[in-house]
């Protein structure tokens, strides 16, 4: 049993995490929020109080922290007696925060893969470049570290695992489909940190095909999907975190990630990219200033958190899985639909932040009660999806399945699970 | 009679000016080139020697100069015994260089209106904000200053004046049409300093209609013209320097400027503008750097001078003038066609630079021989256009007219001129 949460980050996802931790503080204990900018943490705490999100009276405190500073992070973990750290800050911080957890024994959770500010789209599998190098260190220290437990990566990994356990004997392909049919009403904006957002699309789009990595150009492959609620939705094959662990852990020959883009998004992106404005390499102005174009783009675009109040429409994210069951072809879409306005009313963030923040708090609760407290490092598809999906259903992220039998809510504790017992880690390979 | 030229600037236009001065150094005397970056001036001198442009052996020398520094500029004018200064540097320099000329007695020429780095699209007439405030000072010092004597502004002003003198009793409208049907083969580039280029289009597009200023939005008015050589050409109503003097000096009720834009140019421009990337107001990055977005755009775009070697196609710039002659409606297009590749072969610059650089050297020659050495400040339409057009015909910029009588080269010294004698300044108003 673990208690007391340290949230690292001050953006839209951190806001959702704070609200959801507050709604469950009887289980989770004290809640601390730390980011470089204290005011952002204080604003989040104010919002938690305003919405009356605290389940019961308890500690809810803001801290200024540069989480690149491992010693400062260790000090804060110890000072706050935090046993679970939820890292929803910049992906540049992951390895520093993980180090602080390994050295203090706190459990570690994040929602996006580690990135090096100077590199983009490194060689696959991405987890092998950073996180997995600390797997033995986690095991030695008996530290639970669950990587990438937002929606995608995170829930979509659990969806794949759950569907494989319950609906398939063998799986041929998993297509992860991420549609945001919402509208923020601005000329152009990214839904999370533009710097991180664009880094996903500026280089090779890796896909897992016939049990091997395939390098694709961004916007090379387009596919329209008939999705629940959002309807016919245009997507493009995109590189994404979850492929880099699922390809290793699930034994599925084809895993692809498809992200929805409007023509307008692609046009703006194409202009910026072709002009060199998405580069993380500095250029020199006529006045001799050294500047990183991508940082300038980030500075002129709307702060993603500022979009939430006016956001309308829905997201639909899920896995389309094809394979066989009892010798018959089988196709299952397992997905969630989330409404921007409803999210904003509950926690003051839009659905993109909401779908990333709720799962990591669910994971924290499963670590707090021991279910997922495995004392080593894991990606989400290695963990039992049943309690995770069941818990999220109760926390506001409802899972649905669409297959030959129709479209229905998944109640995972009532379905038959074929394979392994819960809380047991899948073997790699 | 005036001799010895100081060229200020080191870009594509300065290169043309240096070549054309060299080709006429028997008249013009010593040639000095000064810019902040000495190496740019040296490269231009090398190019003049390579092409063998010097008419006869003579001084051709590079200098490092910050032309914002009036004392340094005065010193250089005196040290080089320059009696004519050709300012083809940044338009931010105009008032400083003009001050240095007034204080040293040197004649002053430029090709674009003065701009303040912190302001865009100020109240019309633009010349009233800066240049015309020094008119009395020029007169008192008996300093000849010819403003805006590139192609547009410059030649198009002379075209209007010439056509009015020779082909019309009254003029209803002048539409200046600027088409670049060339191709540089890059994704996107501006043909001169991007900072100055974009500043033309980011705010109000002023036009002169019914003897009054009219504020239009950029890209609000589109018009397709059937142009010689370039064919059907799409343009948009654009604010431009020459309207701000011609409206005052010619007594014509309607004067408009139309610039050709491709859909691709407009798309890139629109994206950059809507994102705030064309702003001259600084923004602050997440890392706390203060940067001016427009300076970053300039830094990532190709150096306009680098486009010249691959530039193909032609420009077509001229005035479509409508009015009456002998009680009959009359319509005249007076124009020039220029070929990018031919220009590059002659002087190492493309046609946009060539059409701006040749006229200012022609003007210098008319000052050198006394024809235009009026000892006061003037815009081009106030000066006798006949020797100017005749000289440019011999220097590589041939003027043509298309009217009811057909399409032909203008030989202005052979046409009847109705109105005022040469070297007499038109009265304002």
């Amino acid at each position: 049993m673990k208690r007391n949460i340290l949230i690292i980050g001050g953006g839209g996802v951190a806001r959702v995490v704070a609200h959801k931790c507050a709604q469950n503080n009887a289980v989770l204990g004290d809640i601390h929020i730390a980011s470089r900018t204290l005011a952002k943490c204080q604003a989040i705490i104010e919002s938690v109080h305003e919405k009356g999100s605290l389940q019961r009276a308890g500690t809810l405190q803001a801290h200024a922290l540069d989480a690149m500073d491992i010693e400062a992070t260790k000090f804060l973990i110890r000072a706050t007696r935090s046993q679970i750290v939820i890292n929803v800050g910049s992906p540049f911080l992951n390895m520093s925060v993980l180090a602080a957890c390994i050295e203090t024994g706190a459990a570690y959770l994040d929602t996006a893969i580690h990135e090096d500010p100077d590199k983009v789209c490194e060689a696959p599998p991405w987890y092998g470049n950073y996180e997995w190098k600390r797997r033995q260190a986690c095991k030695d220290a008996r530290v639970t570290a669950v990587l990438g437990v937002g929606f995608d990566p995170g829930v979509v990994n659990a969806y794949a695992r759950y569907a494989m356990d319950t609906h398939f004997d063998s799986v041929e392909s998993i297509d992860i489909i991420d549609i945001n049919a919402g509208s923020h009403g601005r000329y152009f904006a990214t839904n999370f940190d533009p710097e991180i957002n664009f880094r996903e699309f500026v280089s090779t789009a890796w896909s897992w095909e016939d049990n091997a990595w395939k390098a694709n150009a961004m916007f090379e492959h387009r596919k329209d999907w008939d999705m629940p609620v959002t309807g016919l939705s245009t997507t493009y094959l995109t590189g994404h975190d979850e492929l880099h662990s699922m390809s290793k852990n699930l034994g599925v020959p084809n895993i692809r990630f498809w992200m929805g883009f409007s023509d307008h998004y692609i046009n703006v992106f194409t202009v910026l990219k072709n002009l060199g404005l998405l580069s993380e390499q500095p250029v020199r102005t006529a006045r001799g200033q050294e500047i990183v174009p991508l940082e300038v783009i980030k500075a002129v675009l709307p702060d993603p958190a500022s979009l939430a109040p006016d956001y309308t429409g829905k997201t639909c994210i899920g896995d389309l899985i094809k394979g066989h069951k009892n010798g018959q072809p089988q196709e299952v879409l397992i997905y969630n639909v989330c409404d921007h306005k409803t999210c904003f009313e509950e926690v003051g963030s839009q659905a993109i932040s909401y779908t990333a923040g709720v799962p990591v708090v669910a994971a924290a609760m499963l670590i707090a009660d021991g279910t997922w407290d495995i004392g080593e490092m894991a990606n989400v598809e290695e963990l039992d999806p049943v309690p995770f999906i069941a818990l999220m259903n109760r926390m506001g992220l409802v899972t649905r399945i669409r297959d030959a039998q129709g479209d229905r809510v998944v109640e995972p504790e009532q379905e038959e699970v074929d394979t392994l017992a819960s809380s047991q880690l899948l073997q790699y390979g």
Side-chain angles (χ1 to χ4, degrees), chain A:
Chain A
M1 303 293 288
K2 289 196 162 65
R3 284 172 65 82
N4 304 337
I5 306 290
L6 173 60
I7 303 165
I8 292 176
V13 179
R15 179 179 295 254
V16 176
V17 169
H19 276 272
K20 285 294 173 185
C21 285
Q23 291 174 9
N24 294 283
N25 74 337
V27 176
L28 295 174
D30 299 346
I31 302 163
H32 296 270
I33 313 177
S35 86
R36 271 192 309 193
T37 313
L38 186 66
K40 287 189 180 180
C41 304
Q42 288 166 331
I44 289 173
I45 287 177
E46 244 173 70
S47 149
V48 169
H49 287 308
E50 254 171 44
K51 301 263 187 198
S53 290
L54 279 168
Q55 187 180 14
R56 63 179 194 191
T59 297
L60 182 60
Q61 211 175 319
H63 305 267
L65 173 71
D66 172 6
M68 294 296 280
D69 180 343
I70 297 173
E71 289 308 312
T73 308
K74 283 163 62 180
F75 180 85
L76 188 60
I77 291 170
R78 288 181 176 132
T80 56
R81 296 175 304 121
S82 298
Q83 293 182 299
I84 302 174
V85 174
I86 298 180
N87 171 25
V88 285
S90 150
F92 305 144
L93 303 174
N94 289 14
M95 296 313 290
S96 308
V97 176
L98 178 59
C101 288
I102 292 172
E103 292 174 39
T104 56
Y108 172 86
L109 296 165
D110 67 33
T111 63
I113 208 159
H114 182 79
E115 295 194 38
D116 182 319
D118 300 324
K119 297 177 186 167
V120 278
C121 297
E122 295 176 283
W126 291 341
Y127 287 108
N129 299 320
Y130 301 101
E131 282 86 346
W132 288 346
K133 290 183 174 161
R134 306 306 308 275
R135 202 152 51 183
Q136 192 57 45
C138 284
K139 199 162 199 162
D140 294 345
R142 302 207 47 71
V143 161
T144 298
V146 183
L147 305 176
V149 59
F151 204 97
D152 46 339
V155 176
V156 296
N157 309 42
Y159 281 178
R161 166 74 188 279
Y162 177 76
M164 290 174 73
D165 289 354
T166 53
H167 288 71
F168 290 90
D169 296 325
S170 67
V171 167
E172 275 308 299
S173 66
I174 303 173
D175 288 291
I176 302 162
I177 304 162
D178 180 333
I179 306 297
N180 174 17
S183 166
H184 47 59
R186 308 289 188 93
Y187 174 73
F188 185 82
T190 57
N191 293 306
F192 54 99
D193 185 342
E195 203 175 340
I196 305 305
N197 189 245
F198 287 130
R199 287 168 63 99
E200 283 188 359
F201 316 134
V202 288
S203 186
T204 309
W206 292 106
S207 61
W208 182 251
E209 321 249 7
D210 290 332
N211 288 305
W213 289 108
K214 184 176 169 220
N216 309 276
M218 191 61 212
F219 301 120
E220 183 184 345
H221 302 288
R222 170 183 164 143
K223 216 175 169 91
D224 294 347
W225 306 89
D226 177 27
M227 296 293 280
V229 182
T230 64
L232 194 71
S233 304
T234 298
T235 67
Y236 294 83
L237 190 72
T238 307
H240 223 245
D241 301 3
E242 49 271 53
L243 307 194
H244 297 261
S245 65
M246 289 165 67
S247 57
K248 187 173 205 296
N249 292 327
L250 295 179
V252 171
N254 299 289
I255 312 178
R256 295 167 289 248
F257 186 91
W258 302 88
M259 187 165 277
F261 291 96
S262 68
D263 291 346
H264 175 62
Y265 185 102
I266 293 173
N267 179 45
V268 171
F269 176 85
T270 303
V271 167
L272 296 179
K273 176 161 184 279
N274 283 343
L275 293 182
L277 287 165
L278 301 184
S279 170
E280 77 291 354
Q281 298 299 321
V283 296
R284 183 182 289 274
T285 69
R287 285 203 296 176
Q289 235 181 342
E290 284 269 346
I291 57 95
V292 173
L294 189 49
E295 292 180 3
V296 179
I297 297 303
K298 178 173 172 175
V300 300
L301 289 184
D303 174 1
S306 75
L307 307 172
D310 302 318
Y311 228 123
T312 57
K314 293 183 200 303
T315 63
C316 179
I317 318 175
D319 302 16
L320 180 69
I321 304 172
K322 293 182 184 177
H324 286 81
K325 180 77 174 180
N326 303 324
Q328 296 299 311
Q330 168 91 312
E331 181 177 319
V332 168
L333 177 70
I334 176 167
Y335 71 97
N336 164 267
V337 170
C338 198
D339 181 83
H340 288 291
K341 205 171 159 60
T342 309
C343 294
F344 182 71
E345 279 161 8
E346 184 193 334
V347 300
S349 289
Q350 30 77 335
I352 316 276
S353 301
Y354 192 88
T355 53
V358 171
V360 76
V361 177
M365 291 170 69
L366 294 177
I367 291 172
D369 76 7
T371 312
W372 273 16
D373 193 14
I374 54 174
E376 57 186 305
M377 177 183 283
N379 292 90
V380 175
E381 69 276 13
E382 298 176 89
L383 298 165
D384 184 1
V386 170
F388 183 51
I389 293 171
L391 180 53
M392 285 189 297
N393 273 359
R394 299 194 297 274
M395 288 175 74
L397 281 187
V398 175
T399 297
R400 301 184 66 91
I401 273 184
R402 184 181 73 182
D403 62 10
Q405 277 70 57
D407 190 319
R408 62 199 177 278
V409 171
V410 172
E411 295 179 67
E413 276 150 335
Q414 291 163 30
E415 294 207 26
E416 187 195 346
V417 177
D418 284 349
T419 56
L420 51 157
S422 65
S423 83
Q424 183 190 334
L425 194 60
L426 258 173
Q427 287 311 300
Y428 288 103

